[in-house]
Amino acid sequence: MERVTLPDGQLHPLFEVLASPLGLIVRGLSDLLSPLVAHSALIMLTADPSGGRIQCCGDPTVQRGVRGLDLDQLRSKIGGVEGVHGTTLRVGDARRPAIQVVARNGALLVLTDPGPVADLDPLLDIWNIVALHVQERADEAAPDYLRHARSTAGLRLQVLSEIKDEYSATLDSILVPLRSGQLSDASARDAAIARSAAGLKRLRGMTEQAHTVAAESVTLAFARLKEELWSAARSWHVELEFIEPPEGDHLIPDDVARGARAVVHRFILSRMQRSEISRVRVQWSCDGTDLIVKVRDDGDGGTADAETLLQSVQQRIHALRGQLAVNSTSGWGAELSAVLPLEPPLVRPSTAAIAGLRPREMQVANLLASGSRNRAIAEELGISENTVKFHISRILHKLQAGSRAEAIATLLTEQQT
C-alpha cells in the first residue's frame, strides 16, 4: 500500500473536512490546502448524494463564470489520469491560470491563480482521500437519490435538446434573409452569416458535450471497480476474477456506473458475512442500451442466502429502473444478474417541476399539500409569512399552477403515483 504524505499538523484539519456536511467540504478543503498552495478559488467536480456535481468557493468571479462543460473538457484532455497538472481555466470571457488535480476515481479539483507549490505529493494525497470519501458517500446514497438523479438527468438532456432546437431555429431564420441578397451591405451580410454559422456550430458542440458530462466509458467504469475491489480484497482474502466488457466503448451515465459498483460491493460484503467464500467472479457487459452486471461466488448457497441478497441490493436496482435476478443453490454458491437501462426515464412535466423545487420550497410544498395555512407554515419553518408567500408564489410558477388549490392537487397526485 502506498504511503500517504501529510504535512505536520494537517491530520486533524483533514479529519474536520471529512466530518463536515458535504456542502461545507469545499470551504474546509480550501482552508486546508491554503498553506500548501495559495489560490483565489477552489472548485470540485465530483458526484455526491446531494445531487450536485460542482462546488466552488473563493473568488465570486470564478464562482459565477465557471462552467461544468469547461471543467469536464479540462479533465477529458488528460484522460482522467491521476496527477497534478498546470493549466488554464476559462472563467467567463477570460482565461485564468490554474492547477488541476485528478484523483484516482476521476474526481477533479481545480485551484485558480495558484501560488508556488513546494511539494505536489501532499496535495494529491489529500485530494485522493477527500474524493474517495465523497464517492463513498455517493455510493451509500439512499435509493431515492438515485431515482431523483436519473429523473433530473433525463430532464437535463430534454431541456438541452429543446434549447438547441429553439436556438437552431432562431439562427436558421436569421440566415435565410441574410443569404437572400436583399441587404445592401455585402460585407455586413457576410459577417453576419459567418457569425451565425459559428454560433450554430458552437451550440451543437455544447449540446454534444452536455450529453457526455454525466457519463463515462464502460471500460473506465469497470477499471475503477477493479481498482476498488483489488484494494478491498487485501482484507477480504478473496480471489477475484474479472471478465472485461467486450470491445465497443459505450458511454454509461455516472449514476448507473456508481450504482452498479455499489451493488457489486454490497453483494460481496453480504456474502462475506453469511458464507465462507474464497472466489468471486465479476462480469460487466454493455450493448449501448443496457449495462449487464453479473457476480458469482463459490460459497455454500441456499434459499436463505438468496433472500438476504435480494434485500441488500433490490432497492438500489429498482431505483435505477433495473431488473434483478438472484440465484443461490446449496453447494453451488450464489449468482446475481442485473440489467440496468442506460437511458434515463421520461419525466412528466409535473414530476420534473417538483424535482426542480429548492429544499426550502419543497418543505413549504409538503406543508402546503398537508393543508397548512401560511401562518402555520411560517411557524413550522421559523420564517415570516411574507417569506412563505414568496415561496408559494415560486411554487405556483414552477408547477404552472393557476391557484393554490391547483398546486395542492398536483402535489397530491404526484405523491400517490
Side-chain angles (χ1 to χ4, degrees):
M1 179 178 292
E2 297 181 14
R3 182 181 179 184
V4 175
T5 58
L6 291 179
D8 293 340
Q10 286 202 312
L11 185 58
H12 182 70
L14 176 59
F15 169 78
E16 293 294 334
V17 170
L18 299 180
S20 301
L22 285 171
L24 300 179
I25 281 181
V26 62
R27 187 171 298 279
L29 181 60
S30 179
D31 294 340
L32 176 64
L33 296 181
S34 290
L36 296 178
V37 52
H39 53 274
S40 62
L42 181 146
I43 308 160
M44 290 169 41
L45 177 60
T46 61
D48 67 54
S50 67
R53 290 176 54 87
I54 300 174
Q55 296 184 59
C56 181
C57 72
D59 186 347
T61 303
V62 176
Q63 296 189 51
R64 291 193 302 267
V66 71
R67 297 191 318 162
L69 291 178
D70 292 328
L71 290 172
D72 190 73
Q73 195 172 46
L74 198 66
R75 179 173 56 179
S76 300
K77 285 183 178 178
I78 59 172
V81 178
E82 178 190 10
V84 182
H85 312 271
T87 185
T88 60
L89 176 67
R90 186 168 70 177
V91 179
D93 296 328
R95 298 202 72 87
R96 303 273 285 268
I99 290 177
Q100 60 173 330
V101 189
V102 181
R104 291 182 184 179
N105 64 1
L108 177 67
L109 174 72
V110 177
L111 304 172
T112 58
D113 305 312
V117 186
D119 189 355
L120 299 179
D121 288 342
L123 182 60
L124 182 58
D125 287 338
I126 290 173
W127 178 233
N128 267 318
I129 293 170
V130 173
L132 178 61
H133 171 73
V134 173
Q135 176 192 321
E136 287 176 345
R137 296 277 289 272
D139 287 345
E140 292 302 319
D144 284 346
Y145 159 69
L146 294 174
R147 190 177 297 110
H148 172 73
R150 294 294 278 152
S151 297
T152 53
L155 176 63
R156 180 171 61 251
L157 295 183
Q158 175 186 334
V159 169
L160 284 171
S161 178
E162 290 172 354
I163 292 174
K164 172 195 170 185
D165 292 340
E166 180 179 346
Y167 274 85
S168 295
T170 301
L171 291 174
D172 283 336
S173 66
I174 294 173
L175 288 173
V176 171
L178 290 177
R179 287 173 173 165
S180 68
Q182 300 299 314
L183 295 178
S184 58
D185 190 339
S187 297
R189 183 176 66 248
D190 291 342
I193 291 174
R195 290 181 182 180
S196 298
L200 277 171
K201 182 178 180 181
R202 176 175 171 77
L203 181 61
R204 288 169 180 151
M206 289 175 62
T207 305
E208 291 172 1
Q209 280 185 332
H211 279 73
T212 61
V213 165
E216 61 183 346
S217 69
V218 65
T219 52
L220 177 59
F222 191 73
R224 290 181 180 172
L225 172 67
K226 288 172 60 177
E227 185 174 351
E228 293 166 8
L229 291 180
W230 280 127
S231 177
R234 298 189 184 101
S235 57
W236 289 344
H237 306 293
V238 171
E239 180 184 350
L240 297 173
E241 177 187 356
F242 296 100
I243 300 180
E244 302 278 350
E247 292 187 7
D249 211 14
H250 298 291
L251 291 176
I252 59 176
D254 57 356
D255 53 298
V256 172
R258 290 198 313 274
R261 288 196 293 263
V263 164
V264 174
H265 276 277
R266 286 176 179 272
F267 178 92
I268 297 176
L269 284 173
S270 178
R271 293 291 287 148
M272 292 287 292
Q273 293 170 2
R274 295 183 58 88
S275 179
E276 291 293 331
I277 63 174
S278 60
R279 186 176 181 182
V280 177
R281 184 180 68 191
V282 181
Q283 178 180 3
W284 280 16
S285 60
C286 182
D287 58 7
T289 302
D290 300 299
L291 174 65
I292 298 93
V293 177
K294 294 185 178 181
V295 190
R296 184 166 187 171
D297 65 55
D298 63 351
D300 295 334
T303 304
D305 275 357
E307 184 62 29
T308 300
L309 289 171
L310 276 172
Q311 293 176 358
S312 68
V313 299
Q314 65 181 352
Q315 279 191 318
R316 189 172 293 273
I317 295 295
H318 292 163
L320 293 169
R321 300 185 307 119
Q323 298 178 355
L324 173 67
V326 174
N327 296 307
S328 186
T329 306
S330 297
W332 291 90
E335 181 177 18
L336 174 146
S337 179
V339 179
L340 305 176
L342 304 185
E343 286 295 323
L346 294 176
V347 183
R348 293 185 298 169
S350 55
T351 303
I354 292 173
L357 294 178
R358 295 178 177 178
R360 177 64 85 183
E361 292 169 351
M362 197 66 244
Q363 292 175 329
V364 173
N366 287 333
L367 291 171
L368 183 67
S370 68
S372 299
R373 307 303 300 173
N374 289 1
R375 177 173 294 182
I377 295 174
E379 292 175 352
E380 175 71 20
L381 300 180
I383 58 179
S384 69
E385 286 192 58
N386 284 336
T387 302
V388 172
K389 293 177 182 177
F390 171 77
H391 286 311
I392 291 178
S393 176
R394 290 184 61 86
I395 292 169
L396 294 178
H397 175 72
K398 290 184 177 182
L399 298 183
Q400 298 182 358
S403 65
R404 188 187 185 104
E406 187 177 341
I408 292 174
T410 299
L411 292 166
L412 291 177
T413 299
E414 290 299 323
Q415 291 175 1
Q416 293 170 2
T417 57

